[in-house]
Each structure stands twice: as C-alpha cells, then as structure tokens.
Amino acid sequence: MEEVEQLKILVIEDHPIVRDGCQRIFNRRTDIEMIEASSATDGLALNKSFRPDVIVLDIGLPDASGFDILPKLIAENNKAAIIVLSMYGTQSFVTSALEKGAVGFITKNDEPNSLLQAIERVRNGEIYLGQAVAQTLAMNNLAPSSDPLRGLSPREGQIIALLGEGRSLTEISVELNLGYKTVANGVTLIKQKLNIGTTTALVKFAVEHNLKTMSPG
C-alpha cells in the first residue's frame, strides 16, 4: 500500500481549548501531522525544527503579536503557508495579516470545516478568507492600504490610542480634557464602529495595531 505523504501543520495559539479544537479537526484526516506552540518564542523555534507546510497563527500571543512574528516565520521557512486564526475579523486585522504575508484568514466564529478548506486552498497557492471575513470586506469595500482608524473621528482615534497605551478612562478624560461620561460614550461608539464586543478586546486591538495618538481635528 502506497504511503500517504504527511501534511505538516504548526498551530501557534495560546489557548489550550482552541489548540485542542484544531487537533480534533485535523484528526478527521489521516494525512495531517500537527504540532502546537503556545507562545511566539516556541512557535518560531518549532518553525525552524519542524518545517511545517502550513502554519495556523493566532495574533494575541502572550509574548508577542502574531503580526510581529509573521514575517519572521516566512523568512525562516518560505515554504510555509500562513493562515491567521483570530477572534477578530475587522478590516484592519485582515489587511495587516495579508500585507505581512499571510495567505489565509479565518475567525474563531467560522465553521470548523473552514480550517480544512483554508488549508486546501492555501496549499494550492490560493488566498482563503473565511465567511465572516469575506462578509466584512464586502461590506466595507476594503482597499489593501486601509487605515485601521478609518471611520473613526480624530477624537475617537485619540481615545483608542490612549487605551492601547494602558490609560484608564479617568486618565484619558483628564488628558483630553473631557468628561468621564464623554470618554465612556466614546469607547462604546468605537466598539460599535469596529465591531468589537468588550473594552478589553478594544484595548487588545489597539495594542496589537500599535495605534498612535492622533491630534484632534
């Protein structure tokens, strides 16, 4: 019987439940060998030693942003096709990932089978976007160079940037000379515009995008 060539997949994801879910999905196929890393450091090391064909990469890693290590992963293993697996499918996340060399992007809200579909497509040299991401891009008529702050006012841009610098709402209200309620309402509106559910997730978004404070308009 002819031996089936194994497809080597590296999953870089800090949440054990998500890694376990990936393993269960890949177990549906007999030709997939998966190893996992829970940090950027371990992921970079395994990329060199394991030499995966496909890398499934989370953005919010404990020791670095996936955006930061994405180019390094490609540079050290240019055969690997990288699929970003993220909680967020906002336009800025997708464009940042693609611009840095990813060839696939799916969210953790997509159907489990989309992960297998993504692997097949990227292995054939195609770009794969999950259903949630494709809908977002269609709705926003996204251009590759879109600004992460597109759609936000200058004041809203200041607020989200200060959140990313670790400022509390009280500190932001003092710095911008605004009432606390005004800042809180601003954060609520920003979350609505970016389709982000919680303030914690918004802070993470700002940190991962290294947003800089804008001057007020």
Side-chain angles (χ1 to χ4, degrees), residues 5-217:
E5 183 179 356
Q6 291 296 106
L7 180 63
K8 299 165 70 175
I9 298 179
L10 168 61
V11 175
I12 307 176
E13 162 66 56
D14 62 324
H15 290 93
I17 290 177
V18 177
R19 295 198 305 270
D20 183 70
C22 289
Q23 184 68 76
R24 290 173 183 272
I25 293 169
F26 295 145
N27 283 345
R28 300 174 188 173
R29 302 241 316 242
T30 59
D31 62 333
I32 290 180
E33 178 186 1
M34 173 190 143
I35 64 170
E36 58 189 59
S38 60
S39 68
T41 301
D42 290 346
L44 287 167
L46 287 173
N47 182 47
K48 287 183 178 180
S49 61
F50 183 61
R51 305 289 296 176
D53 302 298
V54 177
I55 299 172
V56 178
L57 176 65
D58 187 21
I59 296 302
L61 299 169
D63 54 343
S65 166
F67 287 133
D68 291 337
I69 69 168
L70 206 161
K72 298 177 186 177
L73 292 167
I74 295 172
E76 293 172 353
N77 179 14
N78 60 15
K79 77 167 185 174
I82 299 182
I83 300 167
V84 169
L85 175 62
S86 175
M87 288 179 62
Y88 314 111
T90 57
Q91 56 187 13
S92 55
F93 264 50
V94 179
T95 50
S96 291
L98 297 180
E99 287 169 359
K100 291 178 183 295
V103 291
F105 196 112
I106 59 179
T107 75
K108 294 174 184 178
N109 291 321
D110 280 312
E111 291 295 323
N113 280 337
S114 65
L115 189 53
L116 292 173
Q117 293 168 3
I119 287 169
E120 287 302 314
R121 293 278 287 276
V122 302
R123 287 292 292 150
N124 289 328
E126 301 175 47
I127 292 176
Y128 182 90
L129 300 179
Q131 184 176 6
V133 169
Q135 289 175 348
T136 298
L137 299 189
M139 289 174 62
N140 290 283
N141 192 23
L142 181 63
S145 60
S146 287
D147 188 333
L149 300 183
R150 187 175 110 177
L152 300 185
S153 70
R155 182 66 76 194
E156 289 165 349
Q158 285 187 310
I159 291 173
I160 189 175
L162 290 170
L163 281 173
E165 293 172 11
R167 309 291 184 85
S168 67
L169 298 190
T170 300
E171 290 171 333
I172 294 173
S173 67
V174 172
E175 175 140 348
L176 299 182
N177 195 27
L178 297 171
Y180 179 91
K181 188 173 182 180
T182 299
V183 173
N185 289 340
V187 169
T188 299
L189 186 57
I190 292 167
K191 287 188 290 187
Q192 291 174 351
K193 287 185 176 182
L194 296 179
N195 194 27
I196 294 176
T198 67
T199 301
T200 300
L202 183 61
V203 172
K204 186 176 181 182
F205 176 92
V207 170
E208 289 173 344
H209 283 75
N210 193 27
L211 300 182
K212 303 298 184 182
T213 305
M214 301 168 61
S215 58

